[in-house]
Amino acid sequence: GKVTGSLAGGKLDLKGEDGTYKVGELSFTATSEQKGQKVSIKCTGKVTGDTVKGSSTVERKGGKQQKRTWEAKRDKPEKKKD
């Protein structure tokens, strides 16, 4: 299915684009603008329960690629106080 959303991390607020989910696999491109240049980060991950573990790749100037691993967890709803 189609996936949409946003991410916040470090000094960047990123918009999730081209997101897909199929049989426990998630993929999307996170984009932002930094110092007047568009930054695109390709992300993939495996969904297990309320956790997604994956990797991301960003292409730097000169064609150099930087890879990182990441993990995301679903927020638990807050319990109502009476």
Side-chain angles (χ1 to χ4, degrees):
K2 185 177 177 180
V3 178
T4 61
S6 61
L7 304 126
K11 297 179 181 178
L12 293 176
D13 286 323
L14 302 157
K15 178 182 177 187
E17 299 176 342
D18 303 324
T20 60
Y21 176 82
K22 186 175 181 181
V23 192
E25 298 288 329
L26 175 68
S27 67
F28 59 93
T29 301
T31 60
S32 183
E33 196 168 303
Q34 188 178 30
K35 297 181 183 176
Q37 293 190 342
K38 185 176 180 180
V39 176
S40 293
I41 305 169
K42 295 189 185 297
C43 303
T44 58
K46 182 162 180 67
V47 179
T48 306
D50 288 340
T51 303
V52 183
K53 291 183 181 181
S55 63
S56 61
T57 304
V58 62
E59 193 165 311
R60 300 284 181 191
K61 288 183 182 179
K64 217 176 194 182
Q65 289 187 343
Q66 182 179 14
K67 286 190 162 198
R68 295 186 179 201
T69 58
W70 54 271
E71 182 175 327
K73 293 184 180 183
R74 183 187 316 257
D75 281 341
K76 302 282 185 194
E78 290 185 28
K79 292 181 181 179
K80 286 186 176 182
K81 294 181 182 180
D82 294 328

